[in-house]
Amino acid sequence: EFRRVLFRSQLNVATHVAVTFDLWTSRSVDQYVGLTAHFINSQFQLKSYVLVNVEIPPPHTGEAVAEKVQEILTEWGIQNKVQFVVADNGANCIKAIRLMNKVFVPCMAHTLHLAVGKGLAAGIDSVLTKCSKVAEFFHRSAAAKYCLEEKQRSLGLPIEKLIIKCDTRWNSVFNMLQRIVVQQQAVVATLLQLNRRDMFPEADMVTVESLLKVLKPFKEVTEDFSSEKGVTLSLLLPTLISLQSQLQEEEDEEAVISNIKHAMRESLDTRYT
């Protein structure tokens, strides 16, 4: 209650407020909307307060989302102070923000997620599937887990588990591939001992390493734009120009890598005209 009073008193003084909101589903399939207010106080300090995280039953139409978000803004007395709203690229979120007569600012991290998704769909599925099967095998098999730790110790490698990718977090694909590359010797030695050597996609490792080079700048940018301690909107244009420059195709690279770069660049061009 003290925090609520503090937040309200500071929001009352603020002249302009921006908000970010997100719709999400819990593991028990309950659906929520979370809304955060961002403003600069009288000491010229950037403040971010999570105002609500409340259940929002379906259907999540643009009209229903607009009604709920407007209700939250009114409850906190900031409905006339908000001009800009950041959300993901969902059609219902975009429609909701426009129905409220606010300016929609697409979430950069979500936009990058969509761009990377377009790239990964451009002919790299089989490689990702093979790497995912390797990671999942080491999570399912206790024998593989203990054998891997033994090989890591003997090879002087960090004692680390392999990472399973999450479809809603593109950077988990990067983390999965990077861990497999780092632990390649230990993974191969373990699979050899368990007579599962055929599982490891050795022929694809050059492609994996090339893909990591393409994805690394996107991972760094995603982390930079996830900051709450600084204003990130002003980084948008130079970041896009930098990413598009790094996505230029090279003469001697694999066709699949060129296709990935092209798809990612095209996605960014479409979303940021």
Side-chain angles (χ1 to χ4, degrees):
E1 185 58 36
F2 169 75
R3 289 169 66 86
R4 189 178 181 84
V5 172
L6 172 65
F7 293 175
R8 189 177 292 278
S9 65
Q10 294 206 28
L11 285 168
N12 287 341
V13 176
T15 55
H16 295 83
V17 180
V19 299
T20 56
F21 76 85
D22 188 30
L23 304 173
W24 61 281
T25 304
S26 71
R27 290 183 179 178
S28 57
V29 204
D30 297 318
Q31 297 182 312
Y32 297 88
V33 58
L35 187 144
T36 304
H38 312 266
F39 62 96
I40 295 174
N41 67 11
S42 57
Q43 285 77 47
F44 215 73
Q45 298 169 321
L46 179 64
K47 295 292 182 180
S48 295
Y49 294 148
V50 177
L51 301 185
V52 296
N53 193 36
V54 294
E55 195 166 356
I56 177 170
H60 295 160
T61 61
E63 290 80 5
V65 174
E67 182 180 351
K68 189 64 178 180
V69 172
Q70 193 66 45
E71 177 188 313
I72 295 166
L73 299 182
T74 302
E75 179 189 347
W76 285 89
I78 58 175
Q79 67 274 20
N80 296 323
K81 297 182 179 183
V82 174
Q83 183 180 2
F84 296 93
V85 181
V86 178
D88 67 27
N89 294 269
N92 58 340
C93 292
I94 297 172
K95 183 177 182 180
I97 293 165
R98 289 176 179 161
L99 285 172
M100 294 187 294
N101 294 316
K102 310 298 183 185
V103 178
F104 168 62
V105 180
C107 171
M108 179 63 164
H110 185 251
T111 301
L112 293 180
H113 172 80
L114 296 175
V116 171
K118 289 285 187 183
L120 296 179
I124 202 77
D125 285 353
S126 62
V127 176
L128 295 180
T129 299
K130 292 174 189 175
C131 291
S132 293
K133 285 182 177 178
V134 170
E136 289 165 4
F137 171 72
F138 278 89
H139 276 258
R140 289 195 313 269
S141 169
K145 171 185 176 295
Y146 286 105
C147 186
L148 179 64
E149 291 178 3
E150 178 188 319
K151 301 301 182 187
Q152 287 169 336
R153 290 190 188 90
S154 64
L155 291 166
L157 293 170
I159 308 300
E160 300 170 327
K161 293 182 179 179
L162 297 192
I163 296 170
I164 297 177
K165 72 180 179 72
C166 171
D167 291 336
T168 57
R169 294 284 183 270
W170 80 262
N171 51 348
S172 67
V173 174
F174 178 90
N175 294 334
M176 176 186 73
L177 298 178
Q178 186 179 54
R179 182 64 55 82
I180 285 176
V181 169
V182 170
Q183 296 288 349
Q184 182 175 348
Q185 284 182 286
V187 170
V188 170
T190 300
L191 292 174
L192 189 62
Q193 183 169 321
L194 298 176
N195 295 318
R196 300 298 300 269
R197 178 69 177 80
D198 59 306
M199 286 186 65
F200 193 79
E202 187 170 8
D204 297 314
M205 292 313 291
V206 172
T207 301
V208 168
E209 291 178 5
S210 297
L211 179 59
L212 284 172
K213 290 178 183 177
V214 175
L215 295 181
K216 186 177 180 183
F218 281 79
K219 182 175 187 291
E220 293 169 348
V221 168
T222 298
E223 291 171 352
D224 289 342
F225 273 82
S226 299
S227 168
E228 283 193 352
K229 299 187 182 298
V231 177
T232 52
L233 186 59
S234 54
L235 297 173
L236 181 58
L237 185 56
T239 297
L240 283 170
I241 292 171
S242 174
L243 288 175
Q244 288 168 332
S245 173
Q246 294 180 71
L247 289 173
Q248 294 300 318
E249 292 131 49
E250 300 172 12
E251 289 184 9
D252 57 344
E253 67 188 5
E254 293 178 82
V256 67
I257 298 299
S258 293
N259 291 340
I260 288 169
K261 287 182 175 180
H262 177 78
M264 291 167 72
R265 194 173 65 249
E266 195 174 59
S267 178
L268 290 177
D269 287 343
T270 301
R271 296 185 180 280
Y272 291 104
T273 57

